[in-house]
Amino acid sequence: MSDTLLEVRGLQKFFPITRGFFQTVVGHVRAVDGVDFILKEGETLGLVGESGCGKTTASRCILRAIDPTGGQILYRTRDGRTVDLATLPPAELLPLRAEIQMIFQDPFGSLNPRMSEPLLVNGMKNRRERADRVAELLRLVGLRPEFMHRFPHAFSGGQRQRIGIARALATNPRLVVADEPVSALDVSIQAQVLNLLLELQQRLKLTFLFVAHDLSVVRHISDRIAVMYVGQLVELAPTSEIFRQPQHPYTAALMRAVPVADPRVRTADGILSGEVPSPAAPPSGCYFHPRCRHATARCRAEAPALREVAPGHFSRCHFAGEMTF
Ligand code: SF4
């Protein structure tokens, strides 16, 4: 795996659909259906898509907050072993919890500026030692150490997210999964928190999986971007490449849907319309065909495979590399 920290292979998560008194399984919601990507040490991969595309389910599988249905999640541990997080028994998973942490959208529910729980998990039993570490962590995220004595409701949204970040860093993680970490914040505060994450990444050599629905947010922080649609990856490429020349009509439509100041621009040709199909009953052929303005009879009949159309640039579209979207 060399500089690869995480390699996700064929990840699947299906939820059963049950019916009747005996809860008979009549089908499955294929929330994540064969996702592959790697995450190199020190990089940020942005995982993006509309609500319900499976990005949060995929990230929860990686954290083993839920058990995947299939596939492998190969992780290189701090001591150099490669383990499959998808099947690792709970007792072996526990010591790795410190290495892989999560930043939530709104940390208010679990907010405790004294951060006692992660520090206790990390073996810090001495109260004085813990207070010193909390002061250090608060400084690291640009807050004053005395904030540890404040009540959660006394913090602004931006301060709460800074505490959420400090909490995630309390165990000296290597991999941080951030799930919509700035989407609950005002735009001006978003930029500050994103800049903080970038600064911390360089300082602490962190690797980020950054999950978001907003392509403009992901662009700001990611080295590469993976776009998900109905449980599958439809495009994966370096950020500059994907913005220079998207190779999937869905990515191109998401880009055009990025909010802009002039409302007339939003009504321009090509804005994403229609509903996201249910992963319980996806359309035939290419899942995107009911919303795609380039769809042909082939698209309705034949499912495209994810293929490399330029070095490091993957697309799941029959016409990638032949058309400009
Ligand atoms: Fe559109 Fe066809 Fe490409 Fe699917 S395969 S994204 S329907 S052009």
Side-chain angles (χ1 to χ4, degrees):
M1 285 170 77
S2 60
D3 63 342
T4 300
L5 185 67
L6 186 80
E7 181 170 354
V8 174
R9 289 186 190 163
L11 183 65
Q12 291 177 318
K13 179 63 188 177
F14 301 164
F15 295 100
I17 306 166
T18 56
R19 215 169 267 155
F21 183 74
F22 294 107
Q23 299 280 294
T24 313
V25 176
V26 292
H28 285 92
V29 176
R30 301 166 80 97
V32 178
D33 195 4
V35 165
D36 301 88
F37 62 81
I38 61 165
L39 201 46
K40 295 190 198 110
E41 203 153 9
E43 86 164 335
T44 298
L45 178 71
L47 192 57
V48 68
E50 290 165 284
S51 166
C53 71
K55 57 190 190 302
T56 295
T57 305
S59 65
R60 286 168 58 81
C61 286
I62 291 165
L63 291 156
R64 270 291 289 281
I66 52 175
D67 287 337
T69 307
Q72 290 181 301
I73 305 164
L74 303 175
Y75 172 72
R76 188 161 48 80
T77 64
R78 208 187 293 272
D79 55 11
R81 291 173 298 131
T82 297
V83 295
D84 184 0
L85 299 176
T87 53
L88 211 62
E92 287 177 51
L93 206 55
L94 200 61
L96 295 177
R97 291 272 177 229
E99 294 191 25
I100 307 171
Q101 282 290 326
M102 176 128 193
I103 299 171
F104 299 94
Q105 182 178 348
D106 185 354
F108 197 76
S110 58
L111 193 69
N112 166 7
R114 291 188 186 87
M115 293 174 242
S116 28
E117 184 246 324
L119 293 176
L120 281 169
V121 168
N122 218 22
M124 268 196 187
K125 299 224 165 48
N126 181 299
R127 189 184 282 244
R128 179 70 220 210
E129 202 186 348
R130 277 206 310 269
D132 288 348
R133 176 70 174 139
V134 170
E136 182 190 4
L137 287 163
L138 289 173
R139 269 191 224 103
L140 194 63
V141 297
L143 295 176
R144 293 207 300 275
E146 53 272 27
F147 279 15
M148 76 175 90
H149 304 298
R150 275 200 194 175
F151 289 108
H153 63 259
F155 295 108
S156 69
Q159 287 171 333
R160 287 210 298 269
Q161 195 48 290
R162 283 172 191 264
I163 292 168
I165 294 167
R167 187 182 189 282
L169 300 179
T171 59
N172 287 323
R174 301 166 74 217
L175 172 62
V176 176
V177 178
D179 189 6
E180 302 272 10
V182 298
S183 55
L185 303 175
D186 292 344
V187 175
S188 58
I189 310 292
Q190 280 188 356
Q192 291 173 14
V193 173
L194 289 174
N195 287 336
L196 172 69
L197 288 171
L198 283 169
E199 192 190 308
L200 290 169
Q201 177 175 41
Q202 288 187 349
R203 225 158 125 181
L204 306 173
K205 304 201 181 341
L206 298 168
T207 305
F208 281 134
L209 179 63
F210 194 98
V211 181
H213 67 280
D214 185 341
L215 208 47
S216 60
V217 165
V218 170
R219 179 184 199 172
H220 190 82
I221 195 159
S222 306
D223 300 297
R224 291 185 302 139
I225 292 178
V227 182
M228 275 189 84
Y229 189 72
V230 194
Q232 298 182 326
L233 282 195
V234 293
E235 186 159 7
L236 171 65
T239 303
S240 55
E241 265 306 294
I242 225 166
F243 275 88
R244 192 181 67 78
Q245 191 164 30
Q247 294 284 6
H248 196 283
Y250 178 57
T251 314
L254 279 182
M255 277 177 194
R256 285 191 286 264
V258 166
V260 288
D262 182 350
R264 282 166 303 173
V265 180
R266 293 207 65 180
T267 59
D269 175 42
I271 300 297
L272 202 52
S273 61
E275 294 293 311
V276 180
S278 162
S284 62
C286 173
Y287 289 177
F288 189 56
H289 87 249
R291 302 171 84 189
C292 182
R293 59 184 178 147
H294 302 283
T296 64
R298 182 185 174 197
C299 305
R300 287 183 275 278
E302 192 188 320
L306 189 72
R307 60 192 172 90
E308 194 167 12
V309 289
H313 196 149
F314 298 82
S315 167
R316 192 185 293 276
C317 171
H318 291 310
F319 307 113
E322 297 169 22
M323 270 187 198
T324 305
F325 299 118

